[in-house]
Amino acid sequence: MGPSLLRNQRGMALLVTMTVLALLVVAVLEFNRRMQSELLGAAGLRHSVQLGHAARSALSAARAVLDGAGEENDHDSLRDDWARPETYEFLGDLFEEGELRVVVSDLSGRLQLNALIGPDGQYNEVQKAMFLRLLTSQRIGLEGEEAEGVLDALKDWLDGDDEVTGFDGAEESFYQGKAEPHGCRNGPLAFVEELLLVRGFSRELLYGSGEREGIARYVTAHGADGRININTAPDGVLLALAGELDDDMVADMIAYRGEEKSDLGSAEWYRNVASLPAELVLPAEVLSVQSVFFEVEVEARLGSAVRRAVALLGRRTDRRTELLSWKIM
């Protein structure tokens, strides 16, 4: 065998060896990538499970606090433990690896969208007046005619007939004629975000834009009796209760109900606020000091992983709560 042939065979062997080595390196790298991916997936799954359990534990804690407040008092207020952020700080000791944030909101302190009309499908005039005051307040900033128009559209969304209310109302034919057609509910709203389907309700009106607030924090789709817990109602809702009220009076009402010495067991406590006119009479048929619906927001963090959950709780006649809905995001 000549030298030239030997060199060719050695070169071929080297080439084969290098090719095999290259294939082995690729295989090892791919194996390593898959192992890392599986490990990360397993860690992610473990974190997801941990966060899910943490969120459920936080919800159980919030329910326990609400039930405790219901046993202690026959009324609900922002002085109760459920409304204080520090109440839930102990959850950090139970979830040492991550962070937990819990916020409980009283939906019964808001204007009830489904109370805008009565059983006959016509406006409840007391409720309509409050909605108009909210929409035309400096917070929201609608003009009078525009506010009337969006309420007419909302009335048509809620009522069961197919008769258009006013010039800006809207029934089935209007919604079917849109670029992306959809039906008209002709019944109670299921959730606040549904307003985005109603004529005149923009994202800016719902969530705010620039210097204007949105109405989302002042309204709720839960409840239809129109009653508002005056002990927990935010400033915009208090202002909507009567045309005689102004921002300074509302600020004094909020300060009064925050004082531990103030008795909030009756909705008539507003008469004890010195700055309010003696002749002021708020609509008794809408005032309450008890709450029926609460929203619990939970945020659980573990490293870079985040799990959020929102629950709707309803308070029964025995003052204990029941879980009405639960969503993990």
Side-chain angles (χ1 to χ4, degrees):
M1 183 179 296
S4 175
L5 182 58
L6 285 173
R7 282 196 298 272
N8 289 340
Q9 289 179 339
R10 289 172 183 170
M12 183 62 69
L14 179 60
L15 179 61
V16 171
T17 301
M18 291 180 65
T19 302
V20 171
L21 285 174
L23 291 174
L24 287 173
V25 168
V26 170
V28 169
L29 289 175
E30 176 62 17
F31 177 75
N32 184 59
R33 186 192 67 78
R34 289 188 179 183
M35 288 299 294
Q36 285 184 329
S37 177
E38 291 180 6
L39 287 172
L40 289 173
L45 179 60
R46 179 171 63 85
H47 286 178
S48 179
V49 171
Q50 284 180 293
L51 290 173
H53 287 316
R56 288 177 174 82
S57 297
L59 171 62
S60 297
R63 286 190 65 183
V65 174
L66 279 164
D67 289 345
E71 292 175 358
E72 293 177 3
N73 305 314
D74 60 358
H75 61 277
D76 301 289
S77 79
L78 297 179
R79 299 198 315 236
D80 294 341
D81 287 339
W82 60 262
R84 304 175 189 268
E86 60 269 23
T87 298
Y88 307 100
E89 290 178 354
F90 76 94
L91 291 170
D93 298 330
L94 304 178
F95 190 46
E96 296 179 353
E97 295 183 25
E99 300 176 15
L100 272 176
R101 184 181 67 88
V102 179
V103 177
V104 180
S105 303
D106 180 13
L107 300 182
S108 296
R110 305 181 183 186
L111 296 178
Q112 297 174 7
L113 294 162
N114 291 321
L116 179 63
I117 64 172
D120 60 356
Q122 301 304 308
Y123 275 123
N124 179 314
E125 294 299 334
V126 173
Q127 296 290 326
K128 180 182 179 182
M130 292 192 296
F131 275 102
L132 283 174
R133 283 192 285 268
L134 172 65
L135 292 170
T136 58
S137 68
Q138 291 185 346
R139 289 169 172 77
I140 310 302
L142 294 189
E143 298 296 329
E145 289 187 3
E146 187 178 6
E148 289 271 5
V150 296
L151 287 186
D152 284 346
L154 178 55
K155 174 185 176 297
D156 287 340
W157 187 267
L158 297 172
D159 65 30
D161 61 45
D162 199 35
E163 297 180 9
V164 176
T165 303
F167 292 105
D168 295 307
E171 289 286 359
E172 184 78 11
S173 59
F174 172 83
Y175 296 108
Q176 290 297 336
K178 296 184 67 175
E180 296 182 4
H182 59 82
C184 180
R185 167 75 74 172
N186 284 333
L189 287 159
F191 42 86
V192 171
E193 293 77 12
E194 189 180 326
L195 286 175
L196 294 174
L197 297 175
V198 181
R199 182 179 186 180
F201 284 88
S202 63
R203 295 193 67 84
E204 290 75 17
L205 179 55
L206 195 57
Y207 301 116
S209 175
E211 298 179 356
R212 300 296 185 188
E213 292 184 43
I215 66 171
R217 66 182 293 257
Y218 298 122
V219 301
T220 179
H222 302 291
D225 62 2
R227 296 180 68 79
I228 299 166
N229 187 342
I230 192 175
N231 293 344
T232 62
D235 52 5
V237 174
L238 292 175
L239 191 65
L241 290 175
E244 299 93 325
L245 292 171
D246 60 30
D247 287 323
D248 290 336
M249 294 177 188
V250 166
D252 290 341
M253 292 174 69
I254 291 175
Y256 178 88
R257 74 187 188 187
E259 298 174 358
E260 292 295 334
K261 65 180 181 180
S262 300
D263 183 1
L264 305 181
S266 166
E268 296 291 309
W269 62 256
Y270 73 87
R271 298 180 184 275
N272 298 323
V273 180
S275 64
L276 268 58
E279 65 275 12
L280 175 68
V281 178
L282 299 181
E285 65 269 31
V286 307
L287 299 184
S288 174
V289 293
Q290 292 185 336
S291 298
V292 179
F293 297 102
F294 297 89
E295 183 180 78
V296 180
E297 297 179 77
V298 178
E299 182 179 272
R301 290 180 175 270
L302 186 58
S304 60
V306 181
R307 180 64 62 87
R308 295 180 178 86
V310 178
L312 175 67
L313 301 179
R315 176 160 276 162
R316 305 189 303 247
T317 54
D318 63 359
R319 300 281 293 163
R320 297 186 67 82
T321 59
E322 60 182 341
L323 181 63
L324 301 178
S325 67
W326 167 251
K327 178 173 64 175
I328 295 182
M329 297 168 283

